[in-house]
Amino acid sequence: KVNNQSTIIGYDSNEDKYITLPYREIPVFFSGTGDIFSGLLIKDILDNQSLETALKNTSKKLTQLIEKHKDYPNKNEGLPF
């Protein structure tokens, strides 16, 4: 957390800059969300997005998935899609 705010922190070596991206935590736990985050991030990087854009896109997509399925009863099975 940065200033008590959940934050993604990264370093873009191509642009020699640090990135801080605050996000809203959703109070549920799904198994495998870190793996989904990594996969979405790598996809955008391989599509030649900047790290900052890739992080923003990934955070938005994962937030949408969690919001859509936050009431799913079997969270240990991961996000259903």
Side-chain angles (χ1 to χ4, degrees), residues 5-67:
Q5 169 69 52
S6 297
T7 305
I8 299 166
I9 299 173
Y11 175 73
D12 187 333
S13 61
N14 292 329
E15 297 186 26
D16 190 30
K17 73 174 189 176
Y18 287 92
I19 299 159
T20 57
L21 180 62
Y23 67 93
R24 179 180 56 89
E25 232 176 282
I26 302 168
V28 297
F29 173 83
F30 281 97
S31 183
T33 53
D35 294 331
I36 294 169
F37 184 93
S38 297
L40 291 170
L41 182 65
I42 290 169
K43 181 244 182 247
D44 279 357
I45 289 171
L46 291 174
D47 284 344
N48 294 314
Q49 298 293 320
S50 70
L51 179 60
E52 185 169 10
T53 298
L55 286 169
K56 287 178 181 178
N57 290 342
T58 297
S59 179
K60 180 180 177 181
K61 289 174 189 171
L62 191 54
T63 297
Q64 289 170 340
L65 277 171
I66 293 170
E67 279 290 342

